[in-house]
Amino acid sequence: MPNTPRKLRQKHCDSKKDPVAKRKRVKKSRLTPEAKINSKIRKALRQIWFWSDPNRKEKIKQSTIQKGIFRCDGCKKEFEKIEIDHVVPVGSLDNWSSYISRLFVPVDGLQALCRTCHQKKTNKESREKRNLKSAGKEKVKKG
């Protein structure tokens, strides 16, 4: 088959060796159907909170110094962009009622942070969550 065009040769190749066939393989999701649904509902609730929660909009108004300039509640500096964050993290889904009550909080449960302060807070919360998980695993091993 040396004289046949490359495209024809690829069609007759084994799918394991064919790079095009490898790209077409579909990854299987590790999430259960219930977890997929929960994820989509959480995402929709977050979008509703982001676009239409009056307390979030009020917090933005409170942090506004002048049009397009905001004050960070963390470092107290002025920025053109601000991120509204929950003082108490919303966290994972225990049950729907507690998740919704943690998401839709009053104005004093929200804070306006610059990107740097928000990233520091998020990293700290992630570290604490990892430490709690690893401590729980150690207790299981000892018990």
Side-chain angles (χ1 to χ4, degrees), residues 89-122:
V90 176
S92 60
L93 176 66
D94 312 345
N95 62 44
W96 287 113
S97 61
S98 67
Y99 181 81
I100 291 170
S101 64
R102 288 191 314 262
L103 182 63
F104 295 95
V105 295
V107 177
D108 58 341
L110 300 172
Q111 57 188 350
L113 298 174
C114 64
R115 179 164 280 188
T116 306
C117 290
H118 188 238
Q119 193 60 53
K120 286 178 185 176
K121 182 180 181 280
T122 303

Side-chain angles (χ1 to χ4, degrees), residues 24 29 32 41 117 120 139 141:
K24 290 182 182 177
S29 177
T32 63
I41 294 172
C117 290
K120 286 178 185 176
K139 287 182 183 178
K141 287 180 183 178

Side-chain angles (χ1 to χ4, degrees), residues 59 63 71-77 82 110-114:
K59 189 63 184 178
S63 66
R71 175 162 283 129
C72 174
D73 290 341
C75 62
K76 306 297 184 206
K77 294 180 183 174
I82 204 82
L110 300 172
Q111 57 188 350
L113 298 174
C114 64

Side-chain angles (χ1 to χ4, degrees), residues 68-84:
I69 305 294
F70 306 96
R71 175 162 283 129
C72 174
D73 290 341
C75 62
K76 306 297 184 206
K77 294 180 183 174
E78 297 176 4
F79 295 91
E80 291 180 1
K81 291 184 179 180
I82 204 82
E83 297 178 7
I84 304 300

Side-chain angles (χ1 to χ4, degrees), residues 13-30:
C13 289
D14 186 13
S15 64
K16 291 179 182 177
K17 295 178 183 178
D18 186 4
V20 176
K22 284 183 183 178
R23 277 187 253 138
K24 290 182 182 177
R25 289 187 193 144
V26 178
K27 289 185 180 179
K28 291 184 179 178
S29 177
R30 295 179 187 178

Side-chain angles (χ1 to χ4, degrees), residues 53-64 107 110:
D53 184 40
N55 295 327
R56 182 181 179 281
K57 291 177 182 179
E58 181 61 32
K59 189 63 184 178
I60 292 171
K61 283 182 187 176
Q62 289 177 3
S63 66
T64 303
V107 177
L110 300 172

Side-chain angles (χ1 to χ4, degrees), residues 38-49:
N38 288 344
S39 174
K40 289 182 188 247
I41 294 172
R42 277 196 325 263
K43 184 177 178 180
L45 285 170
R46 285 244 183 212
Q47 286 179 341
I48 291 167
W49 174 80

